[in-house]
Amino acid sequence: MTVLTRIGVLAVQGDFAEHMAVLRRLQVDCCEVRLPHQLDGLAGLIIPGGESTTIARLMDVYDIREPLKRKVRGGMAAWGTCAGMIMLASKLAEDRPEPLGLMDIVVHRNAYGRQVDSFEADIPIAAAGEKPFHCIFIRAPKIERAGPKVEVLAKLPGNGIIAARQGNLLATSFHPELTTDTRFHQLFLRMAATGAS
Ligand code: GLN
């Protein structure tokens, strides 16, 4: 049996280069993904932060939406950061974009208001390890509701769920790829390895 270890990063828009840089630093076999056939043989796919309406539109232009959903349902791991998390949702509080409907979460875009478009906070996240994680929020979404199969990994004190996991799916409101802390990438690599074996 071939064990899949390759990780793809959806590279239609957003900060995919930063995710690629982290994966390369961790010496992971990785590639940029734009076209459906590039999903073949992946253990996991990262959907980066950016602008979810643009990412959704370009996914349709590249015809990758349905193949991606099939791969995830077939076991490929997926991790959405920020706009990527919006794409994984089953439902959004807003009308646009149309999410992929893979993870049982309801997500509210730009949930932390215009005046605090960006902020940073050190938050304890047990799944990543003992030391608090430095979370960078940029016009960040929050998970308003999580279904029974969703494991909540972190909350912003008093203000919503910011990290969650459901089977082979991982979602974070914030951007670990903009820090030098690779613990979330390593967590995702472990999830992808489990699904692929
Ligand atoms: N606000 C963006 C959106 O709605 C997400 C921002 C981000 O990915 N940093 O898509």
Side-chain angles (χ1 to χ4, degrees):
M1 196 186 90
T2 336
V3 177
L4 305 177
T5 52
R6 176 173 265 228
I7 302 294
V9 181
L10 186 72
V12 295
Q13 193 265 339
D15 75 337
F16 55 86
E18 284 75 3
H19 276 292
M20 288 291 294
V22 178
L23 294 173
R24 289 200 184 104
R25 223 169 45 238
L26 293 172
Q27 299 189 314
V28 173
D29 176 19
C30 57
C31 61
E32 293 182 0
V33 171
R34 293 178 188 83
L35 300 170
H37 73 86
Q38 294 168 330
L39 295 166
D40 292 342
L42 295 183
L45 178 77
I46 298 175
I47 307 179
E51 177 54 44
S52 56
T53 49
T54 308
I55 291 176
R57 192 158 48 81
L58 291 172
M59 282 176 93
D60 292 332
V61 169
Y62 286 106
D63 258 333
I64 200 172
R65 182 184 281 266
E66 292 307 318
L68 192 164
K69 284 160 77 164
R70 276 199 298 278
K71 287 283 182 191
V72 169
R73 291 190 176 126
M76 182 183 76
W79 173 22
T81 56
C82 203
M85 174 172 106
I86 294 169
M87 289 310 300
L88 288 181
S90 56
K91 199 171 176 311
L92 302 182
E94 296 74 27
D95 296 336
R96 284 187 333 132
E98 185 190 337
L100 292 164
L102 289 166
M103 193 167 175
D104 192 9
I105 52 175
V106 179
V107 171
H108 177 21
R109 296 175 59 205
N110 305 324
Y112 297 103
R114 277 175 190 273
Q115 73 284 14
V116 280
D117 277 349
S118 302
F119 62 99
E120 305 186 10
D122 290 318
I123 296 175
I125 306 180
E130 210 174 304
K131 197 166 113 300
F133 202 90
H134 188 68
C135 300
I136 300 177
F137 299 88
I138 303 169
R139 294 179 64 229
K142 78 172 162 196
I143 298 176
E144 280 195 340
R145 207 150 45 74
K149 291 195 183 133
V150 177
E151 181 192 354
V152 173
L153 301 181
K155 288 183 177 173
L156 195 63
N159 204 355
I161 302 169
I162 52 160
R165 178 165 58 184
Q166 178 187 346
N168 57 346
L169 300 169
L170 179 66
T172 53
S173 290
F174 51 91
H175 292 271
E177 74 282 9
L178 299 182
T179 71
T180 54
D181 191 338
T182 59
R183 288 178 294 161
F184 259 93
H185 287 80
Q186 295 189 42
L187 171 65
F188 181 62
L189 293 175
R190 287 195 296 277
M191 288 171 59
T194 311
S197 61

